[in-house]
């Protein structure tokens, strides 16, 4: 438990900040449009989808048995991702507040743990924590870039004729 007024209080990871339902994960994985983006690191992939809820960041973590056959290893991976996400949530909320939107993030292990070449669990943890931090830093940077690019694109349509052509059928 966090002591009242402590800095740790600001870095919680409550249920409201998590993706819980399988359908929510599916939407993020299937959606590929202007409101979504993907980020990759050496060991992880993050699928991100903007939502309409102001400043609401939800993070979901999946680690498949194919990439981490032992439940102990899956738990280690989830802990590393959860910790990295928990530390970045306040920064992401701040960026998204200026865009008037929220973000759903699905974090997945993409590499088999056996291929990481970790000699012990402690070295595995170090590699995972470092890569998870890099991944979440990239997510924050991409969200910030999208925030900065958004005002320039609003209200502009470089090719209005092309947009009109796409809405009408050209069949005889």
């Amino acid at each position: 438990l966090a002591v009242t007024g402590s800095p740790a209080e600001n870095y919680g990871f409550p249920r409201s900040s998590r993706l819980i339902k399988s359908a929510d994960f599916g939407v993020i994985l299937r959606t590929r449009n202007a409101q979504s983006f993907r980020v990759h690191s050496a060991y992880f992939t993050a699928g991100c989808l903007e939502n309409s809820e102001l400043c609401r960041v939800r993070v979901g973590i999946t680690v498949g048995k194919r990439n981490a056959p032992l439940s102990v290893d899956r738990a280690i991976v989830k802990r590393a991702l959860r910790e990295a996400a928990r530390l970045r949530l306040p920064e992401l909320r701040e960026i998204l507040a200026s865009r008037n939107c929220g973000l759903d993030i699905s974090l997945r292990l993409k590499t088999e743990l056996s291929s990481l070449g970790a000699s012990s669990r402690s070295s595995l943890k170090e590699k995972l924590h470092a890569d998870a931090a890099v991944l979440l830093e990239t997510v924050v940077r991409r969200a910030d870039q999208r925030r900065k690019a958004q005002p320039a694109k609003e209200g502009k349509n470089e090719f209005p004729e092309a947009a009109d052509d796409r809405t009408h059928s050209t069949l005889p």
Side-chain angles (χ1 to χ4, degrees):
L1 293 174
V3 179
T4 305
S6 72
E9 191 174 292
N10 299 331
Y11 292 100
F13 198 56
R15 187 175 175 92
S16 62
S17 294
R18 289 183 252 160
L19 286 173
I20 306 294
K21 296 180 182 177
S22 178
D24 293 337
F25 283 96
V27 168
I28 293 171
L29 295 176
R30 283 190 307 271
T31 304
R32 300 216 184 226
N33 59 23
Q35 284 76 36
S36 68
F37 62 95
R38 304 245 186 288
V39 176
H40 305 278
S41 67
Y43 310 136
F44 302 111
T45 299
C48 305
L49 177 66
E50 292 178 4
N51 63 42
S52 59
E53 298 177 44
L54 182 64
C55 300
R56 184 173 184 190
V57 180
R58 298 186 308 164
V59 179
I61 299 168
T62 54
V63 181
K65 286 184 181 179
R66 179 181 296 165
N67 293 331
L70 299 177
S71 63
V72 173
D73 292 335
R74 288 193 300 276
I76 288 170
V77 172
K78 287 189 254 185
R79 263 187 234 116
L81 287 170
R82 192 178 319 121
E83 181 69 10
R86 185 182 67 83
L87 293 174
R88 291 292 181 179
L89 280 177
E91 189 176 357
L92 271 170
R93 285 186 184 117
E94 185 179 310
I95 290 168
L96 294 170
S98 61
R99 287 191 70 194
N100 294 325
C101 69
L103 191 66
D104 290 340
I105 305 169
S106 173
L107 304 173
R108 304 182 70 150
L109 177 67
K110 70 175 185 178
T111 307
E112 289 185 26
L113 290 184
S114 59
S115 68
L116 300 185
S119 57
S120 66
R121 284 223 161 72
S122 61
S123 66
L124 173 66
K125 289 178 187 178
E126 288 174 14
K127 286 183 176 189
L128 292 173
H129 279 281
D131 196 55
V134 167
L135 178 74
L136 269 294
E137 172 62 32
T138 308
V139 168
V140 168
R141 194 174 38 238
R142 284 283 300 274
D144 194 35
Q145 287 171 353
R146 292 170 65 90
R147 175 188 62 87
K148 290 175 182 173
Q150 183 187 23
K153 291 181 181 177
E154 278 184 5
K156 282 190 177 179
N157 190 354
E158 294 179 29
F159 307 103
E161 301 83 25
D164 291 339
D165 290 343
R166 279 184 263 134
T167 58
H168 300 298
S169 175
T170 58
L171 297 175

